[in-house]
């Protein structure tokens, strides 16, 4: 009877686990998705700060005299990238504020919630990448030759390293890897104390 009630409680917290053929696999994937979802929501305040800094950097770079007006094709590309970076940063801030208001304190997440929760981070990543490419285009237009080649190659190496770090993070954030089990056990214990302790646990 107790096992049946515990299972029913888990199904209430994770409704997507119901009516599945492979309950263990789906449960692991759902637990992993909940953990990543909560991490994203916790870092929304940092997204706001980083997006504001990136947008301010883009707007500041657009004040360069080369963009009033942009004469060469390289300057026009740089201007477009910097403008895209500023707009993406503003959208990231707007979405982070709305989603933080929507998801704060939420203990479960559907696949739609999980996908939407990633949008501020995706916009922030594009904003950072766009401002870097815009500054590189601006530098290329001002300093052609070996100096521009050195700058572009250096930033390219750093970007390749960032791509490797992103792949490494994705690999270790898979279900069952990267401390998910320990974090989920801690969350399960907290939930059990909350459900079993009544008002005293609160």
């Amino acid at each position: 009877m107790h096992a049946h009630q515990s299972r029913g409680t888990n199904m209430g917290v994770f409704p997507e686990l119901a009516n599945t053929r492979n309950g263990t696999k789906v449960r692991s994937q759902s637990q992993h998705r909940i953990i990543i979802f909560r991490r994203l929501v916790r870092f929304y305040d940092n997204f706001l700060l980083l997006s504001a800094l990136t947008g301010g950097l883009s707007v500041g770079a657009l004040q360069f005299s080369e963009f009033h007006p942009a004469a060469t094709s390289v300057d026009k590309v740089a201007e477009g990238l910097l403008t895209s970076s500023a707009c993406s940063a503003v959208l990231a801030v707007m979405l982070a504020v709305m989603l933080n208001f929507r998801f704060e304190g939420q203990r479960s997440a559907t696949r739609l919630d999980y996908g939407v929760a990633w949008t501020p981070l995706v916009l922030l990543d594009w904003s950072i990448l766009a401002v870097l490419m815009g500054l590189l285009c601006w530098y290329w237009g001002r300093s052609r030759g070996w100096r521009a080649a050195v700058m572009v190659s250096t930033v390219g190496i750093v970007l390749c390293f960032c791509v490797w770090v992103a792949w490494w993070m994705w690999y270790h954030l898979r279900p069952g890897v990267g401390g998910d089990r320990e974090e989920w056990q801690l969350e399960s214990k907290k939930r059990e104390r909350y459900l079993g302790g009544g008002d005293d646990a609160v």
Side-chain angles (χ1 to χ4, degrees), residues 58-69:
S58 302
V59 173
L62 286 172
Q63 305 306 313
F64 295 164
S65 59
E66 290 81 4
F67 300 132
H68 301 281

Side-chain angles (χ1 to χ4, degrees), residues 19-44:
N19 300 322
T20 56
R21 294 182 179 179
N22 192 349
T24 302
K25 182 178 180 180
V26 175
R27 182 179 294 108
S28 176
Q29 293 176 351
S30 300
Q31 293 173 356
H32 173 76
R33 185 166 65 244
I34 293 297
I35 291 173
I36 300 301
F37 173 79
R38 292 175 182 171
R39 290 177 184 175
L40 286 170
V41 175
R42 284 200 302 266
F43 280 97
Y44 274 170

Side-chain angles (χ1 to χ4, degrees), residues 173-192:
L173 287 176
R174 294 179 304 165
V177 183
D180 283 358
R181 182 175 301 175
E182 290 79 5
E183 185 172 351
W184 181 251
Q185 289 176 352
L186 180 61
E187 290 290 337
S188 298
K189 290 179 181 179
K190 291 181 180 179
R191 187 172 63 253
E192 289 176 359

Side-chain angles (χ1 to χ4, degrees), residues 42-120:
R42 284 200 302 266
F43 280 97
Y44 274 170
D45 292 337
N46 296 329
F47 292 164
L48 294 175
L49 177 61
L50 293 175
S51 298
L53 291 175
T54 306
L57 178 61
S58 302
V59 173
L62 286 172
Q63 305 306 313
F64 295 164
S65 59
E66 290 81 4
F67 300 132
H68 301 281
T72 65
S73 58
V74 176
D75 289 340
K76 292 179 181 179
V77 171
E79 184 181 30
L81 288 170
L82 292 172
T83 304
S84 176
S85 174
C87 294
S88 299
V90 173
L91 291 174
V93 170
M94 180 180 66
L95 286 175
V97 170
M98 291 190 300
L99 294 179
N100 190 28
F101 183 80
R102 167 65 177 82
F103 293 140
E104 185 178 6
Q106 183 170 321
R107 300 187 61 84
S108 62
T110 63
R111 287 185 174 87
L112 179 60
D113 294 337
Y114 181 72
V116 172
W118 280 95
T119 52

Side-chain angles (χ1 to χ4, degrees), residues 120-145:
L121 179 59
V122 173
L123 288 173
L124 175 60
D125 287 342
W126 166 248
S127 179
I128 295 174
L129 184 61
V131 72
L132 283 176
M133 293 189 299
L135 290 176
L136 283 178
C137 290
W138 170 81
Y139 190 83
W140 181 271
R142 305 281 73 74
S143 305
R144 302 200 175 210

